[in-house]
Amino acid sequence: MDKFNIAIDGPAGAGKSTIARLVAGALGFVYVDTGAMYRAVTWKVQQEGLLPEQETEVAAMANRMKIELIPGEEGQQVFVDGVDVTKAIRTTAITDHVSQIASYGAVRELLVSLQKQMAISRGVVMDGRDIGTHVMPDAEIKVFLTASVKERAERRFKEMQSSGTCTLTLSELEQDIARRDQLDQDREISPLRRAHDAVLMDSTSMTIEEVVDEILGLCKDKVGGGK
C-alpha cells in the first residue's frame, strides 16, 4: 500500500493536534504538529529576551535554532537546541504571541521549508493553518477542521485546567481565540483559509472519536487507507 499525506487545517482550538495524532496512530503514519514549531520559536524569543516586535532579530534567531519533533508515548515531544520544551510551549505566555511570530515571512519561509522536507517521504499527517494551501498542496487528503468560538474556548479551558496552565477565565479565552482567528485570517503571508479541495468538518457537536472515524473514512474512500 503506497503511503499518502494528510493535511488538517483550521483555527486555534479546533482540536487539530489531537485529531491529527490519533489519525496518524491509526494509520501508522508520522504526525507533524506545525503549530508546535511556531510555538518553539516563540519560546526561544522569550528565552533570548527579544521582543515579539523585533522581526529582523526574531528571524535571525530562528535561523540559528534547532527544532526537533520526536514521537513519544504521550504524544509528540518538542526539543529546542536539545532542551525539552513540550510543556513550556503550551503556556498562555506563548499563546499570546505565537500568531504574531507566525506572521513573519522569514520565520514562515524557514519552517515551511522544514515541513516540506518532512512530507517528502509521505505517510505524514500534518496539522496547522496553511498545510493544505501552502505546505502540502498536493496532499491526497485535506480537511479543514473547525468549531464555534464558544466550543473551542470551552475545550481549551478544560485542557488548560487539567494541565494546570490556565491563567484566563473562560470569557477571556473566548476573546483570545476570536482575536487569534482574526490575526491568522488577516495576515499577509499564508493566511488561514480553506483549500478549495479540502473537506469542511465542523466538530462543534462531534466527539473526538467521531472526527477521527470520519477522516479515516475519507482515507478509505479516497486512497484505500494506511498500513
Side-chain angles (χ1 to χ4, degrees), residues 87-204:
K87 290 184 178 178
I89 63 173
R90 300 296 171 185
T91 63
T92 304
I94 301 299
T95 301
D96 286 346
H97 299 292
V98 67
S99 288
Q100 182 173 3
I101 299 299
S103 72
Y104 295 150
V107 173
R108 293 202 75 83
E109 185 178 346
L110 171 69
L111 297 189
V112 166
S113 175
L114 293 174
Q115 291 154 17
K116 284 179 178 288
Q117 289 174 33
M118 293 175 186
I120 288 174
S121 59
R122 310 188 81 71
V124 165
V125 182
M126 198 177 290
D127 75 279
R129 304 288 197 280
D130 61 348
I131 310 306
T133 56
H134 192 57
V135 180
M136 297 197 305
D138 298 326
E140 288 82 352
I141 301 290
K142 295 182 186 178
V143 173
F144 191 88
L145 183 65
T146 189
S148 68
V149 171
K150 181 174 170 33
E151 177 65 22
R152 286 186 278 136
E154 288 176 356
R155 290 176 186 172
R156 184 60 61 85
F157 188 66
K158 289 175 185 174
E159 230 175 63
M160 294 171 80
Q161 277 187 318
S162 64
S163 64
T165 58
C166 192
T167 57
L168 300 175
T169 65
L170 180 56
S171 175
E172 288 171 335
L173 199 51
E174 197 169 328
Q175 291 172 17
D176 186 61
I177 284 177
R179 177 187 64 84
R180 287 184 64 195
D181 283 355
Q182 201 66 50
L183 284 171
D184 289 338
Q185 289 164 10
D186 293 347
R187 71 177 177 228
E188 189 175 337
I189 301 166
S190 297
L192 170 66
R193 62 183 175 84
R194 175 186 169 192
H196 70 90
D197 52 350
V199 174
L200 178 62
M201 206 171 288
D202 189 329
S203 69
T204 301

